[in-house]
């Protein structure tokens, strides 16, 4: 049985990528992911602010986002660039593709760093992009343009594949993804799950929201992968809420080239990877498939005899039993 897949021109031994998180933040952890059966890893993101301030090209105090402050308090500021390059170089000693990730929210000198990642052996680069659309003076188009400009710039400077990991706050995800595709992006990760806030109603204060996803969160991803995979020429990695083999197969049926997992590994340990492999093997055997490509995309909107079902958003026809 052939579990291999091609994601951004990279041949992966299987479609399960460990997404960018603390589990890919050290060489030992990356090796553990590879030993446990990951098809590839995306390294913990380095922040644009770290790169810029180390390059001495930004007065970072004014520009930092709250995420960056958090990151720097846990990972430290000193020599971030050389430490990240070392992490990448050490991680490439594993036999799986290693994809560094840059958290970015503006076009700047940090883009030079992408060339260094390429030289240090990166298989591809993932851009972790997000601009919270909370500023009423900025239109959606203003925010989209920032990401599109970053992509055009970075694509003109490096020759390894580039993916963009996006959130779902777009008024028209389809048209935005099409614009990314037009800029020859190699992969799109749908979707990032960002840090959340919650309220403590006894002490009347803001607290951290849930760090980890629940399996139900994979449903919106399933819709968008089904809708977008036939529309784009770039590859798609599904992300968020994928906790087990069944969820992986659903995303592949929707047309994803690969999936990214994080929360389930935090919650259940790296052994989940072999459970997922076992489930996929068993399912493929039962359905007489010998390779991932035999069934990939078979439930995307394009392959469906009822494409309107993928567009349905209201509950009018649903029969819900209420007591
Ligand atoms: C502790 C933690 C750290 C994360 N750090 C990053 C990061 O540095 N860069 C990034 O792009 N995503 C980061 N993520 C988001 C994950 O890569 C992933 O997109 C998200 O958790 C949804 O996938 P999941 O449902 O499999 O957890 C982080 C997630 C967690 C839980």
């Amino acid at each position: 049985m052939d579990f291999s897949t091609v994601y951004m021109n990279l041949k992966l031994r299987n479609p399960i990528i460990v997404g960018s998180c603390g589990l890919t933040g050290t060489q030992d952890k990356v090796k553990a992911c590879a030993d446990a059966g990951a098809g590839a890893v995306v390294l913990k993101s380095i922040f644009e602010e770290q790169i810029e301030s180390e390059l001495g090209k930004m007065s970072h105090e004014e520009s930092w986002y709250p995420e960056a402050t958090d990151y720097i308090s846990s990972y430290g500021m000193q020599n971030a660039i050389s430490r990240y390059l070392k992490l990448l170089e050490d991680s490439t000693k594993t036999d799986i593709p290693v994809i560094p990730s840059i958290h970015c929210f503006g076009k700047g000198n940090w883009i030079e760093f992408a060339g260094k990642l390429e030289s240090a052996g990166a298989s591809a680069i993932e851009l972790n992009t997000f601009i919270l659309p909370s500023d009423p003076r900025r239109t959606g188009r203003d925010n989209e343009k920032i990401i599109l400009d970053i992509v055009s710039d970075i694509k003109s400077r490096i020759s390894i594949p580039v993916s963009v990991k996006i959130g779902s706050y777009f008024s028209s995800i389809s048209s935005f993804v099409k614009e990314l595709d037009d800029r020859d992006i190699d992969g799109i990760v749908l979707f990032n799950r960002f840090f959340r806030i919650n309220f403590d109603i006894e002490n009347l204060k803001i607290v951290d929201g849930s760090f980890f996803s629940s399996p139900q969160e994979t449903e919106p991803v399933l819709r968008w992968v089904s809708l977008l995979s036939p529309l784009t020429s770039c590859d798609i990695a599904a992300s968020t809420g994928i906790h087990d083999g069944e969820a992986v197969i659903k995303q592949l049926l929707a047309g994803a080239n690969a999936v990214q997992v994080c929360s389930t590994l935090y919650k259940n340990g790296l052994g989940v990877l072999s459970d997922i492999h076992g489930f996929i093997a068993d399912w493929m055997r039962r359905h007489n498939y010998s390779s991932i490509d035999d069934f990939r995309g078979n439930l995307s909107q394009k392959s469906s005899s009822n494409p309107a079902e993928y567009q349905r958003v209201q509950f009018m026809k649903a029969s819900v039993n209420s007591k």
Side-chain angles (χ1 to χ4, degrees):
M1 225 176 251
D2 181 8
F3 298 122
S4 68
T5 188
V6 175
Y7 173 58
M8 300 200 289
N9 271 332
L10 306 171
K11 180 147 188 194
L12 312 189
R13 61 186 176 178
N14 67 65
I16 302 130
I17 300 172
V18 178
S20 177
C21 64
L23 299 172
T24 59
T26 67
Q27 180 203 359
D28 288 348
K29 290 180 178 178
V30 170
K31 182 172 180 312
C33 292
D35 291 347
V41 293
V42 182
L43 297 181
K44 173 82 190 147
S45 302
I46 185 169
F47 277 75
E48 168 187 326
E49 296 92 329
Q50 290 182 288
I51 306 166
E52 293 264 324
S53 58
E54 215 171 304
L55 290 173
K57 288 176 175 158
M58 183 176 106
S59 75
H60 53 74
E61 289 81 1
E62 287 161 19
S63 318
W64 279 0
Y65 269 41
E67 296 96 312
T69 314
D70 257 13
Y71 181 97
I72 284 152
S73 62
S74 47
Y75 283 83
M77 182 68 208
Q78 292 301 308
N79 307 317
I81 291 181
S82 54
R83 280 192 292 128
Y84 202 75
L85 288 171
K86 172 106 175 53
L87 168 64
L88 171 61
E89 278 166 11
D90 291 344
S91 301
T92 55
K93 290 176 190 144
T94 58
D95 55 353
I96 57 172
V98 176
I99 305 173
S101 160
I102 306 176
H103 174 275
C104 51
F105 56 87
K107 200 173 132 189
N109 296 301
W110 64 267
I111 290 183
E112 292 166 20
F113 180 63
K116 290 198 164 77
L117 294 172
E118 181 172 29
S119 310
S123 303
I125 291 179
E126 186 172 287
L127 301 174
N128 167 15
T129 58
F130 187 59
I131 302 155
L132 191 74
S134 57
D135 182 345
R137 293 162 303 180
R138 297 187 62 79
T139 64
R141 191 60 195 162
D142 292 337
N143 292 337
E144 287 170 6
K145 201 166 170 314
I146 290 175
I147 300 174
L148 294 171
D149 286 349
I150 292 172
V151 166
S152 300
D153 197 0
I154 211 156
K155 281 293 294 178
S156 70
R157 292 184 195 222
I158 58 174
S159 51
I160 53 175
V162 178
S163 59
V164 181
K165 185 178 189 185
I166 59 173
S168 49
Y169 291 122
F170 294 96
S171 54
S172 173
I173 297 179
S174 305
S175 104
F176 181 63
V177 164
K178 170 93 181 51
E179 285 187 277
L180 288 172
D181 203 22
D182 291 344
R183 281 161 181 75
D184 291 330
I185 200 74
D186 303 276
I188 296 182
V189 184
L190 303 173
F191 297 100
N192 204 342
R193 180 182 190 273
F194 300 104
F195 181 77
R196 296 168 178 215
I197 61 159
N198 203 342
F199 285 164
D200 172 346
I201 60 168
E202 295 309 321
N203 297 300
L204 299 187
K205 61 175 192 178
I206 184 170
V207 292
D208 293 353
S210 54
F211 266 56
F212 302 124
S213 65
S214 65
Q216 290 74 19
E217 291 179 47
T218 201
E219 288 174 356
V221 183
L222 201 55
R223 180 197 295 267
W224 285 111
V225 173
S226 303
L227 291 172
L228 294 175
S229 60
L231 299 181
T232 55
S233 52
C234 68
D235 290 343
I236 291 181
S239 160
T240 293
I242 300 164
H243 284 223
D244 55 24
E246 185 177 342
V248 173
I249 288 170
K250 287 179 182 174
Q251 296 294 349
L252 297 171
L253 284 167
N257 300 79
V259 302
Q260 295 192 359
V261 292
C262 292
S263 292
T264 189
L265 303 180
Y266 275 102
K267 285 181 173 175
N268 306 310
L270 293 177
V272 168
L273 292 172
S274 66
D275 295 346
I276 292 176
H277 296 162
F279 187 95
I280 296 175
D282 182 52
W283 182 86
M284 284 173 63
R285 207 171 293 116
R286 283 193 286 113
H287 290 266
N288 289 324
Y289 294 128
S290 54
S291 77
I292 301 283
D293 279 340
D294 286 349
F295 65 92
R296 203 177 66 76
N298 282 1
L299 282 180
S300 73
Q301 188 191 32
K302 191 176 163 205
S303 313
S304 172
S305 55
N306 190 3
E309 272 299 292
Y310 293 75
Q311 308 273 5
R312 193 172 133 203
V313 286
Q314 304 296 345
F315 289 95
M316 282 170 70
K317 282 196 301 180
S319 59
V320 181
N321 288 327
S322 61
K323 291 195 174 164

